[in-house]
Amino acid sequence: IVYNVKESYYKVLYALQSKEVYAESIEQYQKQLAQAQAFYEEGLKPRINVTTAQTNLSNAEFNYIKAENEVRTAYSDLNSAVGIPEALDYQLADRLEFHEHEISLSAALEEAYASRPDLRGMTLKGSTAKEAVRLAKKDYWPELRAISGYGLGGREFPLNNSWSFGGEITLPVFNGLLTHNKIKEAKASLEVAELNEAVLKLNIFREVQKAHI
């Protein structure tokens, strides 16, 4: 709920500031139209300049109307978020401001990598695939097992204690093809995981680079 209220609040600030920008653009285009009209009447500029200025002014007025509607929508969303959909008109005290933040491309890229859960998921898949390759290769190795036992024996009491110790080595003679296929499959999964991670990192790099320019 708190997040929705904050998001709606800043959307109102953004919509209000956009409305101000479009209002200022209307004033500028009105001045440009007046100037173009005066030059045309004096024979200094062609008629096309007047038409262009009129078109720019019309577009600015249209955008201003859209901005007004967006302000009303943003206020309605904010009222719903705080639980008072029928709230009266009111003004927000804050103003949306942007502050330039200097950050190097490498630092921005590092932060982007760290904040992307999809990249962390790709990295985890790569680690899992590497472990699968390692485990598959273990089937080539001989298996050594230690065996021990304890028992009681004899014809008379007390019985004699007896211990036995031994070892067993199993050589993977007949499963070589199966192990080869398992390793091949695991390596293929690893290559896919590494490729997907590389592609995702490249896309993130492009996004950060574009935003950093």
Side-chain angles (χ1 to χ4, degrees), residues 186-201:
K187 285 184 175 180
S189 299
L190 176 59
E191 290 177 359
V192 171
E194 290 177 340
L195 178 61
N196 290 336
E197 181 179 356
V199 170
L200 180 57
K201 280 188 173 183

Side-chain angles (χ1 to χ4, degrees), residues 143-149 164-171:
E143 182 180 357
L144 175 63
R145 292 189 300 173
I147 303 173
S148 63
S164 61
F165 299 93
E168 182 180 278
I169 297 178
T170 302
L171 299 176

Side-chain angles (χ1 to χ4, degrees), residues 124-141 178-194:
L124 179 59
K125 286 183 179 180
S127 300
T128 303
K130 288 180 181 179
E131 182 64 14
V133 173
R134 188 185 69 84
L135 293 176
K137 288 182 177 180
K138 287 181 64 178
D139 290 344
Y140 275 136
W141 304 341
L178 177 62
T179 301
H180 174 76
N181 290 335
K182 287 175 61 177
I183 295 176
K184 185 177 180 180
E185 182 179 352
K187 285 184 175 180
S189 299
L190 176 59
E191 290 177 359
V192 171
E194 290 177 340

